[in-house]
Amino acid sequence: MTDLVQLASSGLALGAIYALIALGFVAIYRASKVFNFAHGDLLAFGAFAMVAASGIGLPWPLALLAAMLATGLLAMGVERVILRPLVGRPVFVTVILTIFVGYLIRTAILLIWGSNPRGMPTPWEPTATVEILGAKVLLGSLAALAGAALALIAYFLLMRFAKLGLAMRAASADQESALALGIPVGRTLGLTWLIAGMLAALAGTFLGMFPRQVEVNLAFVALAAFPAVLVGGLESALGAVVAGLLLGLLQVLAQAYVNPLLGHFGHNFHMVFPYIVMIIFLIFRPYGLFGEAEVKRV
Amino acid sequence: MPNRPLAADYRDARRLWAGRWERRGLILAIVAAIVFPMVAGHNALTIANLTLIAIVGASALMILTGFTGQISLGHAAFLALGAYTAAVGGQAGLPFWLLIPAGGLVAAAVGLAVGPFALRLEGLYLAIVTIGLIFLVNHVLLSFPDITGGVGGIGVPMHLGFAETEGSVLTPFSETWQLGGIAIGFEQKLYALYALIALATVLGLRNLALSDTGRAMMAVRDHDLAAAVMGVNPARTKITAFGVSSFVAGVAGAMFAYQQQYLTVEPPFNLLLSVQYIAMIILGGIGTVFGAIAGPVAFVVLTPLMEALGRQLPLISELSSSQQSTLLFSLLVIVFLIFEPLGLYGVWLRIKRYFLAWPFSY
């Protein structure tokens, strides 16, 4: 039981980070039909920006805000300079383009901050734990869960009630009609990328905490979050969050319980497990958990 | 003055050269390809062999992504399957002329198993499922270290015949041959073999593009619903594309294994390799046979140039050489995607039109 609580807590913390990443993907995909492969690198950038911001002496909450803003502005710049000229081109052109934009961001990180891993600053002791049901749970994991929950609530409130959220929903439904109704689609897209960048920085901050370190390879976690995006359905923010949490939990539980069962084959099996789940899931529901079924028969 | 006679019938369109200039160019290219290994040094031959491998690999991706429009990021997985077939078979003493097609067949078997996913999934979904394929294949390769060498890697012996016993009469392929006083080294032999495979692949690609199967693929790429209405079977076309493409990719993987002589799983067989192949076909010109040759040539030849350029630039010179070339390539691909969607093929078309219309500007 203690083990299970322990595993569940770290699984949910990982899942919360996946949910933040997946939400960033979905926000951008809904707005501009771009699947942003550079998202992982934005996340790594956010983590480094966080380290740098607290390095110059900003208090923790302010540093987090500054890192989120910096990453958001970077994302906005990427959209404006590189992706805007490609509106209307085939999907896969933007896919390839964002992969290479990711490489550019990664090189920028290496140029600015170098390749040495470093610790993520936290307002509490990095290894501090809290006792829940007899299990020792890292404070960082709880913070990740709480932070992710706050960000998700803020995002959903924004989408539901704010004028900007309405504009974003309109632009994602039909850009031309939105333009005809006087919605500044270009600016809305830019702001969507800003929000996605901020979510990435938040995910990066929590991901860089204690068991892990801040390094450029944090970007690869975005690859692990892909299954969450697809299982949730590319268009569905709620699906992204639910699938993110589930996959984080599943991955940690698989590492603890499935890996040993498989003997030698089980070594690192939890890294591919989400992909196997995704493939099986997609065979039966190609449009994801909450995605809309496209009616098309060929 | 247009020097290409109008293709009046189908046989005309299929001719290997359309006019005088194409024929001269072709003869020149063949002569150059034969003379090259005699004069080239060791490094130039290695680069040439890598280029030939890349041409075969890029042709494979061109069939799937360029002709059929299925975005696959799993190309590295098919290459890995071909390469490891060659390595494991070589350890068992099988000859290379059996293992190169065998690598293709193993990769094609997996490709045919993945193909049906393309019937249910489109675009991005397929791209990400194929990323999963890389992870799965690499995981399996690493999980059986007794057979594949695992993380430590595996040597790739290249046998000329079935080597059943130690010290048999059959010499390994890597030995130098003496032919009438001329020494033919391993690299030269590899070059000759690879040039033939690459030539066959490119001719096959060109004929595929002109055949009904090839046109069916392009119809599916452009609009699968319209293609279905016209009587093309999209399901069969997509699965054919997956099968053919993964077979050729497996062959390229086996070629790569023999060229490297020692294999590890990661690197080289990771997402970056798939992305590099996609960069090649974009650089060359997506959906064209020209692009399947020009892209890999530009990629392999430009890499050392990019590294040399990177050393000269401030700031960038602090990075490692592979990071420098990745960075400069990323910039190049981004510029091409934004400004010249047809890649080098587009550039070539523009140059050709300029001279055809000379002295007029269009």
Side-chain angles (χ1 to χ4, degrees):
Chain A
M1 182 62 203
T2 318
D3 279 357
L4 197 63
V5 174
Q6 191 98 43
L7 290 170
S9 72
S10 64
L12 282 176
L14 185 65
I17 292 164
Y18 283 165
L20 282 176
I21 299 172
L23 192 63
F25 276 117
V26 170
I28 289 177
Y29 185 78
R30 276 172 57 114
S32 49
K33 297 285 172 288
V34 169
F35 194 81
N36 180 21
F37 274 83
H39 204 77
D41 300 286
L42 285 176
L43 176 147
F45 181 89
F48 272 102
M50 177 67 196
V51 173
S54 21
I56 58 169
L58 288 178
W60 199 79
L62 271 184
L64 182 59
L65 204 65
M68 285 170 73
L69 263 182
T71 315
L73 287 176
L74 175 69
M76 213 169 156
V78 166
E79 194 273 336
R80 187 70 197 86
V81 175
I82 299 177
L83 284 156
R84 194 73 66 81
L86 291 174
V87 167
R89 295 274 291 280
V91 179
F92 103 103
V93 171
T94 52
V95 169
I96 304 307
L97 196 75
T98 53
I99 291 178
F100 284 97
V101 170
Y103 284 127
L104 287 190
I105 297 176
R106 189 171 311 168
T107 331
I109 293 174
L110 284 170
L111 277 179
I112 302 173
W113 288 296
S115 51
N116 291 335
R118 45 194 92 188
M120 172 62 73
T122 40
W124 53 85
E125 269 299 297
T127 50
T129 51
V130 182
E131 195 133 330
I132 298 176
L133 294 174
K136 282 197 170 123
V137 177
L138 275 171
L139 201 54
S141 301
L142 289 183
L145 263 176
L150 279 180
L152 299 177
I153 291 170
Y155 177 81
F156 282 107
L157 288 180
L158 173 80
M159 289 307 275
R160 195 86 201 88
F161 298 109
K163 212 170 175 183
L164 175 63
L166 190 63
M168 280 160 69
R169 277 187 287 152
S172 79
D174 191 329
Q175 294 196 348
E176 242 171 83
S177 334
L179 270 175
L181 290 170
I183 292 168
V185 172
R187 203 192 310 155
T188 312
L189 280 188
L191 288 173
T192 311
W193 278 73
L194 180 85
I195 291 171
M198 291 169 79
L199 289 173
L202 194 63
T205 303
F206 290 127
L207 191 68
M209 279 179 190
F210 165 60
R212 298 180 201 85
Q213 282 179 306
V214 179
E215 49 164 352
V216 84
N217 288 342
L218 280 186
F220 292 129
V221 81
L223 287 178
F226 284 163
V229 182
L230 291 207
V231 167
L234 265 176
E235 300 265 354
S236 161
L238 181 65
V241 173
V242 173
L245 284 171
L246 280 179
L247 275 178
L249 200 58
L250 203 62
Q251 191 172 359
V252 172
L253 292 181
Q255 184 174 12
Y257 294 117
V258 182
N259 281 13
L261 290 182
L262 296 174
H264 205 85
F265 192 75
H267 183 64
N268 272 341
F269 181 72
H270 65 283
M271 297 305 288
V272 288
F273 191 59
Y275 272 92
I276 297 176
V277 172
M278 172 189 82
I279 289 172
I280 295 169
F281 187 86
L282 287 180
I283 295 174
F284 296 106
R285 263 183 92 89
Y287 37 85
L289 210 53
F290 294 97
E292 281 166 40
E294 230 178 292
V295 181
K296 182 176 173 186
R297 295 265 176 270
V298 181
Chain B
M1 195 47 30
N3 59 359
R4 185 211 197 285
L6 202 62
D9 59 28
Y10 198 58
R11 212 191 54 215
D12 236 12
R14 274 188 316 194
R15 281 225 315 248
L16 206 48
W17 54 81
R20 222 167 344 138
W21 284 102
E22 275 87 347
R23 181 161 58 182
R24 283 173 196 168
L26 208 64
I27 291 171
L28 203 66
I30 290 172
V31 170
I34 292 173
V35 172
F36 176 77
M38 302 178 185
V39 295
H42 179 75
N43 279 346
L45 263 177
T46 308
I47 291 180
N49 285 341
L50 286 173
T51 311
L52 291 169
I53 297 166
I55 287 177
V56 177
S59 303
L61 193 61
M62 193 62 92
I63 295 170
L64 189 61
T65 305
F67 290 174
T68 323
Q70 307 297 305
I71 313 172
S72 166
L73 292 172
H75 204 57
F78 297 123
L79 290 166
L81 285 167
Y84 268 87
T85 309
V88 173
Q91 294 285 355
L94 296 177
F96 74 87
W97 42 264
L98 191 69
L99 285 174
I100 290 181
L105 287 179
V106 170
V110 174
L112 287 175
V114 176
F117 285 105
L119 310 181
R120 298 273 288 174
L121 307 168
E122 289 198 321
L124 291 169
Y125 285 87
L126 185 64
I128 291 171
V129 168
T130 49
I131 291 182
L133 186 67
I134 299 183
F135 290 138
L136 284 178
V137 166
N138 286 359
H139 182 74
V140 171
L141 287 178
L142 287 173
S143 296
F144 297 100
D146 301 340
I147 305 170
T148 63
V151 188
I154 186 172
V156 192
M158 192 166 182
H159 301 292
L160 204 53
F162 292 92
E164 285 176 359
T165 49
E166 283 291 315
S168 64
V169 205
L170 290 160
T171 52
F173 192 82
S174 50
E175 262 179 28
T176 307
W177 286 346
Q178 296 290 339
L179 267 187
I182 308 166
I184 303 178
F186 177 58
E187 296 276 344
Q188 266 110 342
K189 282 192 276 182
L190 221 50
Y191 173 84
L193 175 67
Y194 286 4
L196 286 178
I197 299 178
L199 185 70
T201 311
V202 171
L203 281 182
L205 186 70
R206 178 181 170 280
N207 285 352
L208 178 71
L210 293 171
S211 72
D212 52 351
T213 316
R215 273 172 310 184
M217 287 174 177
M218 293 174 209
V220 169
R221 170 193 66 191
D222 293 338
H223 201 303
D224 52 358
L225 191 58
V229 172
M230 307 261 285
V232 172
N233 182 345
R236 208 180 58 197
T237 309
K238 284 179 187 173
I239 291 180
T240 311
F242 260 101
V244 176
S245 164
S246 48
F247 176 82
V248 180
V251 168
M255 290 162 71
F256 180 74
Y258 286 130
Q259 198 272 335
Q260 295 284 308
Q261 299 180 33
Y262 196 85
L263 282 181
T264 49
V265 174
E266 224 174 326
F269 300 109
N270 50 19
L271 186 58
L272 179 64
L273 186 68
S274 300
V275 172
Q276 280 173 343
Y277 270 102
I278 290 176
M280 282 183 218
I281 64 172
I282 289 175
L283 208 58
I286 197 132
T288 61
V289 180
F290 179 90
I293 304 168
V297 170
F299 188 87
V300 180
V301 174
L302 278 179
T303 304
L305 287 182
M306 290 285 185
E307 283 170 13
L309 178 67
R311 276 195 290 279
Q312 304 300 320
L313 298 173
L315 262 183
I316 297 175
S317 55
E318 293 165 23
L319 298 166
S320 75
S321 62
S322 70
Q323 284 166 347
Q324 287 169 5
S325 59
T326 310
L327 169 72
L328 293 170
F329 258 113
S330 310
L331 281 174
L332 192 69
V333 170
I334 290 174
V335 167
F336 261 96
L337 276 175
I338 296 180
F339 296 108
E340 185 62 89
L342 266 180
L344 290 172
Y345 183 66
V347 176
W348 161 244
L349 273 188
R350 219 176 298 142
I351 294 171
K352 200 165 84 171
R353 280 194 195 124
Y354 175 82
F355 281 105
L356 285 180
W358 197 80
F360 306 106
S361 57
Y362 57 88

